[in-house]
């Protein structure tokens, strides 16, 4: 499958470690890469068997489920793999809320990073993500940005459960009126990609699971979240038309949509600024496939630099560069 895809794109092996590609394929490099990605992902999934019955009713398992599970429980939150080819997603779609793809999943040996020489271990990737939320919305007063981030990181490193990490960050930011930067899609994609790269690089089992989704569109099916998710459960999300064009990595869809948060507040967001977690996972997946590693104890600044380099290669349309500039002094 991979060889056929390469030949179709006009690749020619010259036998001296040199490959060329036709001008026609080079003109649309993203489509070319997607074609190879699709073929390679198919090879990875040759022995994959989708679960017809969830082992955990809430979806907290490493299984990829057949869409048939939604017939019996339309609100099932585990990872559901619809293999049906569709425009922009020829290898299908995985919709998830609870699963190892979630930031709430406990990370075996944890996620270990360093910040200016200070080494810390986080029980979940959610804890690391919430440290950035706390720092961006309610920075420590009277100290440089990097020390404010260090304070938030130290707080979150002591927490074991993802739900508690979220609650601690919520309490710290409850009185904040300006959510500009934490509501910024570029911040979500950049920080989320770094967090996912660290998480999936440092756990071999999680790494295998993420790479098994190669070429597949990932959708965070959070019914009450239209920023990190798509404000719909898996049943509704998988029925939506033009999923890739609306919520994929290269979405520029400016159509607004409304969703209601758990607190009952109605929010409006552009389609191209939704599914930040799905996009972050796909960026991390692409980076790992390209040989980018975020090993245990890696400096946060280095992890951000590695992700930024890969985001430039991917040429995503979202404004992650503004996020990079805003966080520079913090790292």
């Amino acid at each position: 499958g991979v060889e056929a895809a390469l030949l179709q794109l006009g690749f020619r092996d010259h036998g001296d470690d040199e490959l060329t590609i036709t001008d026609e394929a080079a003109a649309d490099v993203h489509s070319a890469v997607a074609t190879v990605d699709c073929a390679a992902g198919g090879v990875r999934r040759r022995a994959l068997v989708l679960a017809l019955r969830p082992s955990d009713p809430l979806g907290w398992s490493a299984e990829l489920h057949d869409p048939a599970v939604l017939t019996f429980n339309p609100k099932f939150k585990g990872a559901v793999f619809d293999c049906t080819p569709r425009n922009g997603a020829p290898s299908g779609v995985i919709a998830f809320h609870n699963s190892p793809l979630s930031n709430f999943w406990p990370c075996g040996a944890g996620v270990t990073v360093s910040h200016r020489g200070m080494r810390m271990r986080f029980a979940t990737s959610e804890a690391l993500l919430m440290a950035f939320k706390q720092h961006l919305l309610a920075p420590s007063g009277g100290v440089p940005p990097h020390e404010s981030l260090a304070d938030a990181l130290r707080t979150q490193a002591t927490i074991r459960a993802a739900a508690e990490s979220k609650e601690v960050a919520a309490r710290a930011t409850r009185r904040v009126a300006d959510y500009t930067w934490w509501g910024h899609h570029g911040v979500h994609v950049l920080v989320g990609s770094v967090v996912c790269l660290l998480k999936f690089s440092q756990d071999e089992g999680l790494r295998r699971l993420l790479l098994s989704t190669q070429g597949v569109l990932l959708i965070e099916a959070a019914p009450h979240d239209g920023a990190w998710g798509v404000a719909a459960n898996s049943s509704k999300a998988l029925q939506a038309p033009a999923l890739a064009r609306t919520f994929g990595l290269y979405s520029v869809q400016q159509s607004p949509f409304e969703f209601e948060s758990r607190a009952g507040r109605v929010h409006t967001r552009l389609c191209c600024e939704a599914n930040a977690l799905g996009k972050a996972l796909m960026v991390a997946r692409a980076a790992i496939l390209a040989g980018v590693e975020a090993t245990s104890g890696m400096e946060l600044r280095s992890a951000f630099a590695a992700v930024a380099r890969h985001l430039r290669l991917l040429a995503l349309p979202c404004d992650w560069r503004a996020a990079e500039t805003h966080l520079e002094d913090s790292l």
Side-chain angles (χ1 to χ4, degrees):
V2 177
E3 289 183 2
L6 289 171
L7 288 172
Q8 182 181 350
L9 291 170
F11 275 98
R12 298 294 181 265
D13 186 349
H14 300 289
D16 54 0
D17 296 327
E18 181 182 346
L19 289 170
T20 59
I21 185 173
T22 62
D23 292 339
E24 292 80 2
D28 190 1
V29 67
H30 294 308
S31 295
V33 171
T35 300
V36 177
D37 218 29
C38 178
V43 173
R44 287 183 183 275
R45 291 186 292 276
R46 276 178 179 167
L48 176 65
V49 177
L50 299 180
L52 291 170
R53 292 185 179 181
S55 61
D56 184 294
L58 296 179
W60 288 115
S61 76
E63 298 165 313
L64 294 177
H65 300 83
D66 189 283
V69 300
L70 298 173
T71 303
F72 304 101
N73 181 6
K75 295 184 178 181
F76 179 64
K77 295 182 178 181
V80 177
F81 188 4
D82 183 352
C83 305
T84 308
R86 55 183 82 194
N87 289 337
S91 293
V93 180
I94 292 176
F96 69 93
H97 187 45
N98 297 347
S99 81
L101 300 175
S102 165
N103 283 314
F104 271 49
W105 184 265
C107 302
V111 180
T112 303
V113 301
S114 296
H115 177 53
R116 298 206 171 198
M118 180 175 62
R119 188 180 175 99
M120 288 165 284
R121 177 184 172 276
F122 300 86
T124 65
S125 51
E126 181 73 7
L128 186 52
L129 194 69
M130 289 299 100
F132 277 92
K133 176 182 179 179
Q134 186 172 331
H135 164 64
L136 285 169
L137 292 180
S140 303
V143 299
H146 69 272
E147 291 186 16
S148 169
L149 177 58
D151 289 342
L153 290 167
R154 278 191 290 264
T155 296
Q156 289 289 342
T158 66
I159 300 173
R160 306 304 302 168
E164 185 182 352
S165 287
K166 189 171 184 177
E167 177 56 30
V168 167
R171 287 199 302 268
T173 60
R174 191 157 285 154
R175 297 181 182 278
V176 174
D178 186 0
Y179 262 67
T180 299
W181 280 107
W182 191 245
H184 190 282
H185 186 59
V187 168
H188 289 171
V189 172
L190 177 61
V191 176
S193 297
V194 170
V195 168
C196 288
L197 179 63
L198 288 160
K199 169 184 174 178
F200 288 94
S201 291
Q202 294 181 21
D203 185 297
E204 186 57 37
L206 291 177
R207 178 193 182 102
R208 284 197 303 271
L209 175 65
L210 181 62
L211 295 189
S212 75
T213 71
Q214 183 177 357
V216 178
L217 174 63
L218 302 180
I219 295 291
E220 215 285 61
H224 299 287
D225 190 343
W228 291 95
V230 298
N233 60 30
S234 293
S235 295
K236 291 182 179 179
L238 291 174
Q239 292 173 11
L243 264 179
R245 189 174 73 241
T246 308
F247 298 122
L249 271 179
Y250 294 97
S251 172
V252 291
Q253 180 64 258
Q254 296 291 310
S255 302
F257 69 101
E258 289 187 347
F259 64 96
E260 186 176 304
S261 69
R262 288 188 179 278
R265 294 180 59 189
V266 177
H267 301 266
T268 301
R269 200 162 182 90
L270 299 179
C271 289
C272 63
E273 295 181 349
N275 195 35
L277 179 54
K279 292 177 182 179
L281 286 162
M282 289 186 283
V283 170
R285 180 181 69 193
I288 293 173
L289 285 167
V292 179
E293 295 287 343
T295 54
S296 180
M298 186 178 194
E299 277 285 340
L300 271 175
R301 175 179 285 273
S302 299
F304 270 84
V307 166
R309 283 194 298 271
H310 204 70
L311 286 171
R312 290 187 185 92
L313 289 172
L314 292 173
L316 298 193
C318 69
D319 188 15
W320 60 269
R321 290 177 179 81
E324 181 187 30
T325 300
H326 186 74
L327 285 167
E328 187 174 1
D329 291 340
S330 301
L331 298 170

